[in-house]
Amino acid sequence: MQEDKLKFLFDQFDHTSEFDSFEELASGHINDTFLIKTIAKPYFVLQRINHKVFVDVPGLISNKVAISRHLKEKLKHLPEEQLRQQVLDFVNTKSGKPYYQDKDGNYWNVMVFIEDSVSFETVNNEEVAYEGGKLFGNFLFLTSDFPASKLTEVISKFHDMSFRFFQFEASLKVASNERWNIAKPYIMQVNELKEEMHILQNLKKSGEIRLRVTHNDTKISNALFDKNNKGLCVIDTDTVMPGIVHYDFGDAIRTICNTAAEDEKNLDLVNFNVDYYKAYVKGFLEEIETELSPIEIEYLPLGAKTMIFIMALRFLTDYLNGDIYYKTAYPEHNLDRAKNQFKLIESLTEKFKETEIDNLSHKN
């Protein structure tokens, strides 16, 4: 993107900084995100929200601004500098809106960049897994008294398993013969797991599991850490909306406990790391256990398996559809992502007994 356009967009927001340069932040499959470097700090993050994926961008931005305000209120005892390190700080436009819509219909928002922070695409030690658990657990704890009904459902049926199976079955009808045949072994795996993968949805539907505010994209790269690997801030709150705790727990485990990146082609490198799982569970429950019911805790391990599966299903569906949702770098990218997740499910299934919460002595 041209620098003069980014400078124009940045200058639509109510700040007192002078644009100096930019760099694109490549993390994420959906949106375009840029680090705006200014003459004097702080720097800023300028983001284009993909309105082809998110049909109600104003509602989405309203969600994340509301959650940010809620978190700031809960943490108002902290010094201002520390608060800016732990909660996303959004900047309004000069007209007072939390977003700017350009002439092409694109929506942009601006956040203050969190200095001296690091993020991880994969986890390489138990300390980061533990701190990640504390960070995401604390996010759920601090938002547990925010009425989920006040949030816009930014992606309809996002983790609805029946809906994802409907999409998958529709993709089978439009897939090219070549892609269908290549994906056949994984299509068979999907059908074998169908019944088990509906358990959490059925518990949610029956009301046995509570609907609450959830982040819905808790991959480890959406957690910021300080230089000492201590958790700082949960970021990328675009998908904050009503959900169940197992969505957030499971998606975090999906990335934290995968011994490889989610698009690693060498499946021998893809395994489920039980030690990282135990470390994450420990940190997570230290923060949120008092807010969870016994049945919510009991089904956390199934939440991990379910979220790995749903991502495998979504990657596979997009591959069969001809790559219309996720950004891809090469023709087989979505299939490689799907294969990766199915291998992770296989590894988790082999070790599932070790993941049961009662076996982890999490209160010790």
Side-chain angles (χ1 to χ4, degrees):
M1 181 166 288
Q2 294 180 342
E3 182 173 304
D4 56 349
K5 182 174 182 180
L6 287 177
K7 182 180 184 301
F8 169 80
L9 290 165
F10 179 60
D11 286 342
Q12 303 311 302
F13 289 83
D14 189 19
H15 53 78
T16 57
S17 302
E18 184 177 349
F19 183 100
D20 182 43
S21 62
F22 78 95
E23 62 182 66
E24 185 166 6
L25 302 176
S27 180
H29 298 310
I30 307 299
N31 300 320
D32 296 319
T33 309
F34 303 90
L35 174 63
I36 303 299
K37 296 183 178 180
T38 50
I39 300 299
K41 291 186 177 180
Y43 293 162
F44 296 84
V45 175
L46 174 66
Q47 183 181 50
R48 181 187 70 84
I49 306 296
N50 190 330
H51 61 284
K52 294 180 180 178
V53 172
F54 300 109
V55 295
D56 183 2
V57 179
L60 177 157
I61 296 175
S62 176
N63 279 0
K64 58 184 185 176
V65 170
I67 291 299
S68 180
R69 287 174 179 163
H70 181 79
L71 293 174
K72 285 181 180 179
E73 179 63 25
K74 298 298 282 286
L75 299 174
K76 62 184 179 182
H77 59 281
L78 297 178
E80 184 66 27
E81 184 177 346
Q82 187 178 348
L83 190 60
R84 286 202 170 192
Q85 288 264 297
Q86 295 188 18
V87 182
L88 293 176
D89 189 15
F90 293 94
V91 181
N92 283 338
T93 64
K94 291 174 180 176
S95 62
K97 289 186 176 182
Y99 62 87
Y100 174 75
Q101 187 173 17
D102 66 22
K103 62 181 180 180
D104 298 318
N106 295 307
Y107 291 86
W108 299 82
N109 68 202
V110 165
M111 296 160 281
V112 178
F113 178 66
I114 297 176
E115 299 284 346
D116 300 319
S117 62
V118 294
S119 62
F120 301 95
E121 289 298 319
T122 58
V123 171
N124 296 311
N125 62 70
E126 291 177 32
E127 180 188 14
V128 170
Y130 169 75
E131 287 291 326
K134 285 182 67 68
L135 203 53
F136 286 122
N138 184 248
F139 178 86
L140 289 170
F141 177 78
L142 291 175
T143 58
S144 62
D145 60 344
F146 188 99
S149 60
K150 290 188 175 181
L151 295 176
T152 297
E153 187 180 26
V154 295
I155 301 181
S156 179
K157 301 179 180 178
F158 189 43
H159 293 317
D160 185 295
M161 192 63 75
S162 297
F163 176 64
R164 293 303 180 187
F165 266 91
F166 172 81
Q167 290 183 313
F168 166 70
E169 288 158 3
S171 75
L172 294 175
K173 298 175 183 177
V174 300
S176 67
N177 288 335
E178 180 184 11
R179 291 202 172 197
W180 200 101
N181 287 324
I182 291 172
K184 186 176 179 180
Y186 304 98
I187 294 170
M188 293 175 66
Q189 285 189 50
V190 167
N191 290 326
E192 289 170 2
L193 288 166
K194 185 174 183 177
E195 185 175 347
E196 182 184 11
M197 293 298 100
H198 278 83
I199 290 174
L200 286 176
Q201 180 172 306
N202 292 336
L203 288 170
K204 173 188 168 187
K205 187 176 180 180
S206 69
E208 293 177 76
I209 292 178
R210 171 193 161 188
L211 201 65
R212 60 173 72 237
V213 173
T214 45
H215 183 282
N216 295 295
D217 191 14
T218 52
K219 56 180 179 281
I220 193 61
S221 59
N222 282 335
L224 295 185
F225 299 79
D226 67 17
K227 293 179 179 179
N228 296 316
N229 290 344
K230 299 300 182 184
L232 276 182
C233 182
V234 172
I235 62 171
D236 197 1
T237 50
D238 292 349
T239 50
V240 164
M241 56 184 166
I244 59 175
V245 66
H246 305 82
Y247 297 161
D248 280 5
F249 177 83
D251 206 26
I253 292 299
R254 183 182 73 84
T255 55
I256 287 171
C257 296
N258 192 339
T259 55
E262 74 175 10
D263 57 358
E264 172 59 57
K265 296 180 184 181
N266 183 355
L267 298 184
D268 290 338
L269 301 178
V270 179
N271 288 290
F272 187 84
N273 191 313
V274 172
D275 290 335
Y276 290 177
Y277 176 86
K278 293 177 180 178
Y280 184 88
V281 168
K282 184 176 187 297
F284 184 79
L285 290 180
E286 281 178 5
E287 299 292 332
I288 188 64
E289 183 171 13
T290 58
E291 287 293 327
L292 299 181
S293 67
I295 194 170
E296 285 178 311
I297 294 174
E298 177 187 350
Y299 280 97
L300 286 176
L302 182 59
K305 187 174 182 178
T306 300
M307 288 307 299
I308 298 169
F309 175 83
I310 207 166
M311 287 308 304
L313 185 62
R314 291 177 64 194
F315 287 140
L316 181 61
T317 298
D318 202 33
Y319 173 73
L320 294 169
N321 277 332
D323 309 317
I324 59 175
Y325 186 81
Y326 293 110
K327 293 179 182 178
T328 54
Y330 55 91
E332 304 299 309
H333 202 169
N334 272 322
L335 182 62
D336 285 338
R337 289 166 173 154
K339 289 179 179 180
N340 184 300
Q341 299 299 291
F342 281 115
K343 174 61 190 304
L344 191 60
I345 289 172
E346 179 185 325
S347 181
L348 168 59
T349 301
E350 292 171 354
K351 304 169 182 177
F352 201 71
K353 193 70 178 175
E354 297 178 67
T355 69
E356 293 178 354
I357 303 298
D358 286 345
N359 294 336
L360 301 185
S361 299
H362 59 276
K363 293 181 181 179
N364 294 341

